[in-house]
């Protein structure tokens, strides 16, 4: 187990799309353990994506228990995650370990359904809401080379929350 | 480098920001946090800048743009304490209702009474000329907690017949 160094913007690796994981082996499990330890050592401690430590693979870890207690899924290891449904939008202020010191308002879906594989390659589906959904979306963006900076909204635009959007 | 707060106001037209920032760049200044917007047909610039020599040199550098665009400029030196960005806001208060005098005064007086520190206030007068409405969004820090904000604003809803929303502004570091 090791805490890995976090890449910070403008490191070009943060803006490259990650590739799907194909081998669910011991090496992957060891890496994910390191990723979890790195997440817990960070300032937020609730989420991390593999590209943030320079590994361009589609792996995300989220654990918002520090914030929500047991009212969430606990530790989620999402490998090759896919957003298969979403509903509602909300504005929230986000920061990122890879963008130190800056925070800004970002619009995210309020409820999401995510399909992913677990650490053993088994298919899983998670339904998340609120804070947990925000964390998952933020981390999944890293897999497409997106930072929350790409989604900043002006303060003017968040006057009213439009709750009725559906896809 | 020393820091100053620069305020620029002029009748709105394209090119104000370009002219001012180009002059500052040429004078060796660098721009920090800034807020710029059009207000009532005018354009207002407020920004923190770092400058290499004295403020007189900055003013001189701006002179051509000031004359050409008919701007008014104000420079205030900043102490290093004041230049600190401060903590992020933790509460958002939204206020809207039929426009009439005193809404801002009564809301902000209530907030001030509990030590609420406004970080950012934006408001807009909207609606039709016969039925103007007033919309305001305040972001700030509530040292006494969000419940105290709700409590102190609750009586205003009826007294001023306005809608008031109080929302936590959680900053999620991910």
């Amino acid at each position: 187990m090791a805490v890995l160094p976090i890449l910070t913007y403008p490191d070009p690796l943060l803006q490259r799309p990650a590739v799907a994981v194909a081998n669910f082996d011991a090496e992957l499990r060891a890496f994910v353990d390191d990723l979890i330890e790195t997440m817990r050592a960070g300032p937020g401690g609730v989420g991390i994506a593999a590209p943030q430590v320079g590994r361009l693979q589609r792996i995300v870890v989220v654990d918002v228990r520090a914030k929500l207690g047991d009212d969430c899924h606990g530790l989620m290891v999402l490998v090759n995650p896919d957003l298969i449904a979403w509903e509602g939008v909300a504005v929230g202020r986000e920061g990122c370990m890879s963008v130190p010191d800056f925070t800004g308002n970002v619009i995210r879906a309020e409820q999401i359904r995510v399909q992913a594989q677990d650490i053993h390659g088994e298919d899983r589906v998670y339904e998340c809401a609120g804070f947990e959904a925000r964390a998952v979306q933020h981390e999944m963006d890293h897999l497409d080379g997106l930072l929350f900076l790409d989604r900043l909204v002006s303060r003017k635009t968040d006057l009213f929350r439009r709750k009725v959007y559906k896809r | 480098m020393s820091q100053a707060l620069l305020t620029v106001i002029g009748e709105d037209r394209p090119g104000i920001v370009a002219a001012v920032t180009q002059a500052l760049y040429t004078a060796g200044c660098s721009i920090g946090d800034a807020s710029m917007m059009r207000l009532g047909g005018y354009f207002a610039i407020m920004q923190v800048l770092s400058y290499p020599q004295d403020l007189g040199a900055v003013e001189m550098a701006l002179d051509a743009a000031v004359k050409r665009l008919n701007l008014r400029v104000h420079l205030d030196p900043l102490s290093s304490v004041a230049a600190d960005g401060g903590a992020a806001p933790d509460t958002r208060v939204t206020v809207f209702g039929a426009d009439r005098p005193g809404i801002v005064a009564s809301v902000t007086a209530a907030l001030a009474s509990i030590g609420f520190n406004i970080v950012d206030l934006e408001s807009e007068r909207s609606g039709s000329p016969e039925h103007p409405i007033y919309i305001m969004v305040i972001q700030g820090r509530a040292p006494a907690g969000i419940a105290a904000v709700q409590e102190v604003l609750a009586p205003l809803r009826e007294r001023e017949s306005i809608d008031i929303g109080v929302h936590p502004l959680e900053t999620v570091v991910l």
Side-chain angles (χ1 to χ4, degrees):
Chain A
M1 297 271 282
V3 173
L4 307 169
I6 301 267
L7 304 184
T8 56
Y9 182 82
D11 192 303
L13 284 183
L14 289 170
Q15 292 175 289
R16 295 239 314 260
V19 299
V21 172
N23 298 323
F24 294 81
D25 53 13
E27 195 279 330
L28 179 74
R29 289 193 292 278
F31 169 71
V32 168
D33 283 344
D34 287 348
L35 198 59
I36 293 168
E37 195 177 341
T38 306
M39 172 185 78
R40 300 213 196 286
V46 295
I48 195 168
Q52 288 183 280
V53 297
R55 181 154 161 155
L56 291 177
Q57 280 191 305
R58 305 188 77 81
I59 306 165
V60 155
V61 176
V62 169
D63 184 351
V64 298
R65 276 176 295 183
K67 199 90 189 171
L68 297 186
D70 291 329
D71 195 15
C72 63
H73 289 99
L75 179 66
M76 286 189 285
V77 176
L78 307 175
V79 181
N80 302 329
D82 235 341
L83 192 64
I84 53 177
W86 64 272
E87 208 177 305
V89 292
V91 177
R93 186 174 281 265
E94 297 183 11
C96 179
M97 288 191 283
S98 295
V99 189
D101 295 335
F102 181 81
T103 63
N105 285 330
V106 179
I107 294 176
R108 302 283 187 191
E110 280 190 314
Q111 288 166 39
I112 57 170
R113 191 180 307 137
V114 176
Q115 185 166 39
Q117 287 164 284
D118 66 14
I119 189 73
H120 307 292
E122 300 296 324
D123 280 331
R124 304 282 296 264
V125 173
Y126 295 95
E127 292 195 4
C128 307
F131 183 90
E132 191 174 45
R134 177 170 294 273
V136 169
Q137 291 168 82
H138 176 112
E139 303 307 347
M140 281 179 61
D141 265 355
H142 281 298
L143 306 181
D144 295 325
L146 292 174
L147 298 169
F148 78 104
L149 302 178
D150 293 299
R151 296 193 187 274
L152 287 179
V153 293
S154 148
R155 285 162 304 192
K156 289 257 186 212
T157 57
D158 63 26
L159 272 178
F160 294 104
R161 299 168 181 208
R162 295 181 174 83
K163 291 216 173 207
V164 288
Y165 278 160
K166 274 183 191 167
R167 191 163 59 173
Chain B
M1 297 277 266
S2 317
Q3 290 198 307
L5 186 68
L6 168 70
T7 314
V8 179
I9 297 170
E11 242 176 88
D12 188 38
R13 56 189 279 188
I16 295 177
V17 180
V20 168
T21 53
Q22 181 63 41
L24 293 171
Y25 171 64
T26 312
C29 300
S30 75
I31 295 172
D33 295 359
S35 181
M36 313 186 187
M37 76 226 77
R38 191 171 63 175
L39 286 172
Y42 276 69
F43 193 77
I45 296 176
M46 286 174 288
Q47 64 187 24
V48 176
L49 60 90
S50 305
Y51 58 99
Q53 297 155 17
D54 59 302
L55 278 183
V58 177
E59 262 176 288
M60 228 160 11
L62 287 168
D63 196 56
V66 165
K67 291 215 167 85
R68 182 166 64 83
L69 298 166
N70 195 22
L71 306 173
R72 265 164 291 156
V73 171
H74 191 76
L75 278 160
D76 286 296
L78 291 181
S79 71
S80 52
V81 179
D84 174 40
D90 57 19
T91 308
R92 177 195 294 131
V93 177
T94 56
V95 177
F96 49 98
D99 188 34
R100 54 199 194 78
I103 295 177
V104 185
S106 63
V107 170
T108 53
L111 292 174
S113 73
I114 55 164
F116 186 97
N117 191 1
I118 296 175
V119 175
D120 184 295
L121 184 154
E122 287 192 340
S123 69
E124 223 167 286
R125 207 164 170 270
S126 186
S128 62
E130 307 82 57
H131 300 286
I133 59 167
Y134 189 77
I135 303 161
M136 173 166 67
V137 179
I138 297 174
Q139 300 192 96
R141 289 192 65 81
I146 195 161
V149 178
Q150 275 156 341
E151 197 177 320
V152 78
L153 292 179
L156 298 182
R157 286 201 176 93
E158 216 157 301
R159 207 170 72 213
E160 305 279 336
S161 24
I162 45 178
D163 289 293
I164 301 178
V166 179
H167 313 278
L169 254 186
E170 266 184 309
T171 300
V172 191
V173 178
L174 293 155

